Amino acid sequence: MTWTTMSTVEGLPLLGGKGRFRTLATAEGGLAYEIHYPAGVASPVHSHDHDSIVYLISGSLRGTLDGREVTLEAGGTIVHPRGVPHSVEAIVDSQWVEFKTPLPARPPIAE
């Protein structure tokens, strides 16, 4: 599995730099990514046509979920429901697995 530079999420540019991702698995009902953001990299507020379940492998994330501030520490999980605005920022270098279901209509992250 090859890492790919990540500069957008849902068609919007990342803030503070670039991340990287790799596709772990794809199925008819969804997909799984492994994502890495260096400290200070953030997604802008966005929403999508799928649910995302995030499991943080390492690091620390903060962001918003439907206008509320949230923090996620290594070993924690959070759900970003479809259609709900949210953002993510790496407080320190952070790596997570993100499960997306149903299969997104278009690639949600890109170079």
Side-chain angles (χ1 to χ4, degrees):
M1 293 177 282
T2 304
W3 286 97
T4 301
T5 300
M6 177 181 174
S7 58
T8 66
V9 61
E10 294 299 327
L12 302 170
L14 290 179
L15 309 170
K18 295 183 179 185
R20 62 186 177 138
F21 75 97
R22 59 184 173 179
T23 303
L24 298 177
T26 303
E28 185 177 327
L31 61 83
Y33 287 128
E34 186 172 4
I35 300 172
H36 174 267
Y37 280 10
V41 171
S43 71
V45 175
H46 65 282
S47 62
H48 32 70
D49 66 350
H50 54 270
D51 295 322
S52 288
I53 300 168
V54 174
Y55 171 74
L56 187 60
I57 298 167
S58 64
S60 181
L61 301 173
R62 71 175 157 224
T64 59
L65 180 62
D66 203 16
R68 296 184 339 263
E69 298 227 358
V70 293
T71 303
L72 190 62
E73 300 297 330
T77 59
I78 192 167
V79 175
H80 297 145
R82 72 187 81 190
V84 175
H86 60 278
S87 64
V88 175
E89 178 184 3
I91 298 168
V92 298
D93 288 2
S94 299
Q95 194 158 322
W96 65 94
V97 173
E98 191 162 333
F99 302 93
K100 297 179 174 292
T101 186
L103 193 63
R106 63 182 171 87
I109 57 180
E111 246 181 294

